[in-house]
Every structure is written in C-alpha cells, then in structure tokens.
Amino acid sequence: MLPEPTFNSYLMLSAVLFSIGTAGVFLRRNLITILLSVEVMLNAVNLTFVAADRYYGSVDGQIVVFFVMTVAAAEAAVGLAIIISLFRHRESLSPDAFTSLKW
Amino acid sequence: MPFGITPELIAQITVIVVIFHALLISAAVLVYMERKVAAFAQQRYGPYLVGPRGLLQPIADIVKLLFKEELRPRAADTALFYVAPILCATAAFAAFAVIPVGADTTLFGLLDRPIHLAVADVNVGLLVIFAITSMGVYGIVLAGWSSNSKYSLLGGLRSSAQMISYELSYGLSFAAVIMLAGSLSLREIVGHQEGYWFGVIPQWYIFLQPVGFLIFLIAGVAETNRAPFDFPEAEQELVAGYHTEYSSMSFALFFLAEYVNMVTVSAVATDLFLGGWHGPILNSLGLGWVWFVIKLFAILFFYIWMRWTLPRYRYDQLMEFGWKWLLPIAVINLLVTAGVVVYFGPRFGW
Amino acid sequence: MDALYFWILATITVVASVLVVGQRNPMHSVVLLIVSFCALSGLYVLLGAQFVAAIQIIIYAGAIMVLFLFVVMLLNVPTEDPPTGYHARLFGGAGPRRVGAVLSLLFVVQLAWALRQIQGAPLPSRAVQPSSDVETIGLKLFTDYAFAFEATSVLILVAMVGAIVLAKKEKA
C-alpha cells in the first residue's frame, strides 16, 4: 500500500514547505504575500521541531514551537502595522515603490 | 463480525448520527421556542396556525427558505461568497463534536464495554472547542467581504471584531474551571461535579465559580452575536449586517449556524458549570442525558429571554465593556481561583 | 491508516502553500494559508502533539490570520497586476525576478541533496512516547523555560505597543 511516513518524510515535507516559502519571498511583488510566505516558512520550521520531538521522544520541541508561534504573532502584528503606514504613505503595496531612501 | 465491526462500533456510529440530527432538530425547536417566548413576553400569541399550537411552524419556515431563489450579486467574489456560510455552519457543528451528553453507558446492558456518549472524547476537548470557535469568525468575515456591499462589510468587520474581543474572556473563564478540575477533557470535568455537599447542594462548579459562570454566559452571548450584543445584525442600523446579500439556502445556513452556536455555548456551560448529566434520579437509571437536555434548554430559554428583554448595546459600548470590564474581571477571577486552589487545595485533595 | 492520513494532509499542505504563493488576489492567498494551517494541525495530531495542534488553530489560524484578513480588507489591497515587460519572464530578463528564481532553485537543490544523506528512519510508535499532554508541557514551560516565557510576554507587550504606535494616523 502506501509507504509508512518516516522521520525522513516529515523532514522532506518541511523542506518542501520552506522552499515554497522562500520562493514566495523572492518572487512575489506584493508586501502582504511576502509576509504570508514568511509565515509558511515559520510553519515549516514548526513541523520540523514537532517531528524531531516525536523521533527523539521529548517535549522540548513542542515548547519551542509554542515560542515560535508567539514570536510569529508579534512579528505579524508589527509587520502589518509597518505595511499599513507604508501604504498610507505611497498608496502602493509593491516593494518596488519603496526604492528611494528618502521617506 | 467481519472487518472488526463490533457492536461498540455500531453503537458509537449510532450515537454520532443521533447527536448530529439532535442538533438539527434543536435548531428547529429553537426557532419555534424563540417565536413563542418572544410572543408571550410581548403579550401576544406566537405562531398558532401551522399545526397544533404552531408546532409545525419551523418546518414551514424551512420549506419557504428552500424554495427561494438563490441570488448572488454580480460583483461578489464567487468562491468566497459560497464558502462563507458553509464555513460558519461547519464550525458550529464541529464544535459540538467533543461535548459529552451523558455518562458512559452500556445501553442498558446490550454492550460488553461502555461507550462514551460523545462524538469523540479528546483529552484536550476544551482547547478543541476554543479552536473551532475561533474558526467560526472566518465565516462571518468572509461573508462580509465577499458580498462586496457596504452594509455587509461593516457588519462583517464589526461582528468579527466583537467575536475576537470576547473570545479572550470566554477562554479565561473556562481556564478557571480547568484549574479547579485539573483536566481539559469535558468528560472528566463533569466527572468532578458528581456528588453533593452536605447531602443537599450538588457539587456543581457554578457554586464554586459564580463570577466565572456569569462571565462565560456574557461572553457566550457576545460570541454568538445575540442580543444585547447583536449590533452587527441590528435591523435598524445595518439592514441585516453580514448576511444582507444572502438568500435561500445560504441564509438558512447562517441562521442554522447561529442557533447551533447557541446550543454549543449552552452545552459547554452545562458541562462546565451545571454538572452536565448529574441529577437526582435519572442518572442512576442510565438516563443522565435527559438532565443534560433539561439544563441545556434552561440556558437556551435564558438566552431567548434576554434577547426580548434587554435593549441593544451600541457598538462602542459593547467593545468598551468587553475590553475594559469583562477582561479584567475574568483575569482577576482566574487569579483568585489560582490562589484558592494553591492555598486550600491540599486540604480538599485537589 | 496513518500513512493514508499523512499523504492526504501533506498533499493538502503543499498544494495550499503553492497556491498561496501563486495567487494574484491576496484575499484568496490568506484563505488558502488558513487551509494549509489546518492541514498542518492535522499533521501535528498524527505526530501525537495534540496541544500544539490545538494552539496552531487557535493562534495561527484563529488570530494571526484574522489580523492579516483585517489588514487586507481595510487596505482594500489591489490584486497584483501580472508582471509586464521587464519583470515578465521568469528566467529570461535580467533583474530581481531572475535572481530570485535562480536562488530558489539553488536552495531546493541544496535541501534535496542534504536530505538524501539521511537514511529513512522510522518514527517510534506512539506507545513509546512520554505523555506529551498539556500537563507535561505546562510543567516544563514554567520550570525549565520560565525565563523564555516571561521574556516572550514582554515581547508581546512591546509588539502590541509598537503596532499601535506604527499604525496610528498622524494628527494632521
């Protein structure tokens, strides 16, 4: 039937998700989508932690995941506040509109 | 029996099917109950033409809703427009999955091992309920946005802001109960509420946590967008809020979601504070779920009674109340409970 | 049975993430990311971490994404125009897109090579796990990781104040 998932399969899945997130950050021209891709990357890391937790039989990874989520929440809040003030200034959400160093 | 189909499996599946249909029927019963209670509160008869004493009125309503035309504004975002009511209704039903309605039963001796009278007994049950309630916000937000209309957008934003604000007090009020019970599983919390003090007063958590119960009820009313916190749906202000542009089955799904949400909040309140299925005679006969249903409908009656008695809060008063009053009271309640558990705990064996 | 759940959930996660990165409309991206988070939560349950699964839905899908949704709705974010001319061709024209695409590809190749080196190790069965229920996590969180916990709460406070200050309208 289907092969049983091993530790390796979870790591591969996490790697795939991380590279999708990276590709999103590099290739998208919309600030919000870039921020969403960063969230995808953070989730990939969370998955690695939880899978490693299961493999090594401890709960420390889950506690780290707890902290990662909290930090991600704080970062999303501040990032979105920055995006709001940038949008108010230039009426555009493309990173190309913010290329000059003068405000 | 083939394929490992045991009598317990069949009994469990029957329980799941029964609970699902009971939820649907309770939504219909609530429609009738609301109109009748509203009518008696306003000194008039409610529906009395359709069926004896108007009992078939909900069926007439449902048939009418089914036959209406399904409209969609042209500028609406198609995918999200159709997903929103589905999401609302699904979240409402899914939250009921971890709520136990009765004691473990062997169905009067028919089975070898007792089964749980719940769809699923998860050991982090309360967290699951909280999680799925947070997902319910999305149905409303997406409905407001995808309708592409002013009233819907404002109603959707206000409603979702209200829901996420009151979710905090909701969670803190049951954090205090978790501290008392020492478990996140609803079955175990009800298990701790067995027995009587001094032989007379039942050991329900409402007596240990009166403030917590009040906070939970108020936050629950705000979560389900019911009066007096129903500003986002107020007819006088916003036409119909986030479900203005919906008709026929989609509207019926929102309607259903609101009533099932009410039932879920009442069921959680019953399990956490009112002792669930514990009661004088019926529990020993294996009919504890009858007590559960009685308590559930008592809280639902209270909900409906509040709607037709109290005036509506204005939106800024609503938000101010949630953040400046309810949240600090909930936090203080939690701290006091924690102090009492630590101080008196060893004496009472907590 | 576990294998079937794993492959279904993994497929949903990957497909949803690819669509998040590929969608033009930011609203659809946010909704697809919520789907991806729910699938990830299912994967956490498969790995026996129920607490993390529950807080993934509560915090990520229930709070952070609502934040994103509000910002997208209130800013009325325009859907991104398809890139024209200079930026259009992925590997063709010079410029940031080509560099970005090449870097992503290099990264994928590197990860794939690195993971090929690990032999497939089976996961220990669930019975062998220390109970990773909420009580264990809570005990560790408040004893071994107490400092990190307090530091995180200060961080959240700072982020809250910062977000309010940054997003405030200038008094005209």
Side-chain angles (χ1 to χ4, degrees):
Chain A
M1 266 255 320
L2 287 171
E4 276 289 318
T6 64
F7 186 35
N8 209 8
S9 14
Y10 281 100
L11 285 182
M12 282 288 231
L13 175 62
S14 175
V16 167
L17 281 178
F18 196 82
S19 29
I20 292 173
T22 318
V25 169
F26 285 145
L27 295 174
R28 292 301 303 247
R29 304 277 94 206
N30 185 336
L31 285 175
I32 293 202
T33 317
I34 294 178
L35 214 51
L36 287 174
S37 312
V38 171
E39 297 294 332
V40 172
M41 285 200 276
L42 283 168
N43 270 289
V45 169
N46 280 347
L47 184 62
T48 312
F49 270 118
V50 177
D53 228 23
R54 171 70 183 276
Y55 183 65
Y56 290 106
S58 70
V59 288
D60 291 306
Q62 293 180 38
I63 296 179
V64 176
V65 166
F66 181 79
F67 288 127
V68 168
M69 278 188 206
T70 323
V71 170
E75 163 235 333
V78 175
L80 286 169
I82 294 179
I83 289 180
I84 291 177
S85 48
L86 283 176
F87 185 77
R88 255 192 222 131
H89 190 65
R90 284 292 166 83
E91 292 292 324
S92 158
L93 275 177
S94 163
D96 297 324
F98 299 103
T99 46
S100 68
L101 280 175
K102 262 182 73 164
W103 179 250
Chain B
M1 292 192 120
F3 296 122
I5 298 180
T6 61
E8 279 83 24
L9 182 64
I10 299 179
Q12 192 72 48
I13 294 179
T14 316
V15 164
I16 295 175
V17 168
V18 164
I19 290 182
F20 182 72
H21 286 97
L23 272 181
L24 285 172
I25 294 173
S26 67
V29 166
L30 268 176
V31 169
Y32 176 73
M33 205 167 120
E34 169 134 37
R35 292 176 68 166
K36 272 297 198 192
V37 170
F40 288 136
Q42 294 168 350
Q43 285 196 317
R44 57 182 172 90
Y45 295 114
Y48 62 89
L49 288 175
V50 188
R53 293 178 171 276
L55 277 170
L56 294 180
Q57 182 69 41
I59 301 189
D61 281 341
I62 294 171
V63 169
K64 175 204 84 168
L65 276 174
L66 280 175
F67 278 115
K68 275 192 162 177
E69 182 189 350
E70 182 89 38
L71 293 167
R72 175 179 81 83
R74 194 177 308 174
D77 189 339
T78 323
L80 294 178
F81 190 78
Y82 285 124
V83 163
I86 298 174
L87 198 52
C88 250
T90 312
F93 278 93
F96 208 85
V98 294
I99 298 179
V101 304
D104 291 352
T105 165
T106 56
L107 286 183
F108 307 111
L110 280 176
L111 301 168
D112 301 323
R113 287 168 302 163
I115 53 165
H116 305 313
L117 272 182
V119 172
D121 181 48
V122 182
N123 62 340
V124 288
L126 271 177
L127 279 184
V128 169
I129 294 179
F130 196 50
I132 298 181
T133 313
S134 330
M135 292 299 286
V137 174
Y138 284 114
I140 296 179
V141 151
L142 290 176
W145 166 258
S146 60
S147 307
N148 214 348
S149 122
K150 282 189 281 287
Y151 297 121
S152 308
L153 183 63
L154 277 179
L157 281 177
R158 284 179 172 170
S159 179
S160 51
Q162 169 189 330
M163 282 174 83
I164 59 179
S165 312
Y166 281 86
E167 246 169 39
L168 292 168
S169 319
Y170 192 67
L172 283 174
S173 67
F174 61 65
V177 172
I178 297 172
M179 262 199 273
L180 283 177
S183 162
L184 278 170
S185 154
L186 275 163
R187 236 183 73 247
E188 288 176 30
I189 293 179
V190 176
H192 283 270
Q193 296 181 57
E194 209 170 344
Y196 295 87
W197 289 310
F198 312 121
V200 173
I201 310 174
Q203 271 189 2
W204 296 345
Y205 282 143
I206 184 176
F207 300 113
L208 290 176
Q209 283 272 305
V211 176
F213 180 61
L214 279 177
I215 296 173
F216 185 86
L217 269 190
I218 296 174
V221 170
E223 277 285 308
T224 50
N225 279 329
R226 290 280 297 183
F229 299 113
D230 68 346
F231 194 86
E233 295 180 353
E235 276 101 27
Q236 298 91 326
E237 273 89 16
L238 279 174
V239 185
Y242 59 89
H243 47 72
T244 314
E245 301 288 343
Y246 285 89
S247 56
S248 177
M249 208 51 211
S250 318
F251 179 70
L253 280 176
F254 277 121
F255 209 43
L256 183 67
E258 179 171 324
Y259 282 125
V260 174
N261 263 325
M262 268 170 68
V263 172
T264 305
V265 169
S266 310
V268 174
T270 308
D271 268 343
L272 287 181
F273 294 100
L274 289 180
W277 55 81
H278 292 301
I281 312 167
L282 293 169
N283 201 19
S284 40
L285 291 177
L287 286 176
W289 52 269
V290 174
W291 273 120
F292 181 82
V293 170
I294 292 175
K295 294 174 191 174
L296 182 73
F297 274 93
I299 299 186
L300 284 170
F301 173 70
F302 178 68
Y303 251 100
I304 297 176
W305 184 19
M306 256 209 310
R307 175 175 182 181
W308 296 102
T309 317
L310 295 175
R312 178 178 291 135
Y313 266 88
R314 213 174 58 220
Y315 190 67
D316 61 320
Q317 290 171 331
L318 196 162
M319 295 299 274
E320 179 182 331
F321 179 67
W323 285 102
K324 289 193 198 170
W325 290 99
L326 206 59
L327 186 61
I329 294 178
V331 170
I332 294 174
N333 177 41
L334 187 66
L335 286 174
V336 168
T337 310
V340 167
V341 168
V342 166
Y343 198 61
F344 291 111
R347 235 168 20 135
F348 293 115
W350 272 327
Chain C
M1 213 50 208
D2 262 9
L4 185 64
Y5 291 140
F6 172 74
W7 287 106
I8 293 177
L9 287 171
T11 318
I12 296 177
T13 312
V14 171
V15 166
S17 301
V18 169
L19 287 175
V20 163
V21 166
Q23 279 286 326
R24 295 257 159 254
N25 188 345
M27 196 69 166
H28 290 170
S29 290
V30 173
V31 174
L32 283 163
L33 193 59
I34 296 169
V35 170
S36 169
F37 286 162
C38 293
L40 265 176
S41 177
L43 279 171
Y44 292 150
V45 171
L46 266 186
L47 284 169
Q50 311 106 328
F51 179 63
V52 171
I55 63 174
Q56 163 96 352
I57 303 260
I58 296 175
I59 296 183
Y60 253 120
I64 300 181
M65 284 298 122
V66 172
L67 200 54
F68 270 99
L69 216 59
F70 270 32
V71 169
V72 168
M73 285 199 297
L74 288 174
L75 290 187
N76 209 359
V77 174
T79 67
E80 207 175 304
D81 299 320
T84 55
Y86 181 71
H87 291 293
R89 294 154 297 169
L90 203 59
F91 287 106
R97 257 180 112 81
R98 179 163 75 169
V99 173
V102 167
L103 279 175
S104 311
L105 203 55
L106 270 179
F107 186 67
V108 171
V109 166
Q110 202 173 22
L111 271 177
W113 176 86
L115 284 172
R116 285 301 294 266
Q117 313 297 86
I118 310 176
Q119 304 304 317
L123 288 169
S125 76
R126 227 166 282 177
V128 193
Q129 293 307 295
S131 66
S132 65
D133 64 343
V134 189
E135 187 174 340
T136 323
I137 295 180
L139 269 173
K140 271 215 146 162
L141 192 62
F142 288 110
T143 52
D144 293 337
Y145 294 90
F147 176 70
F149 186 75
E150 301 297 333
T152 311
S153 48
V154 174
L155 173 75
I156 299 178
L157 179 65
V158 167
M160 221 185 334
V161 171
I164 294 175
V165 165
L166 279 170
K168 243 168 44 147
K169 277 206 194 33
E170 312 272 335
K171 296 255 193 303

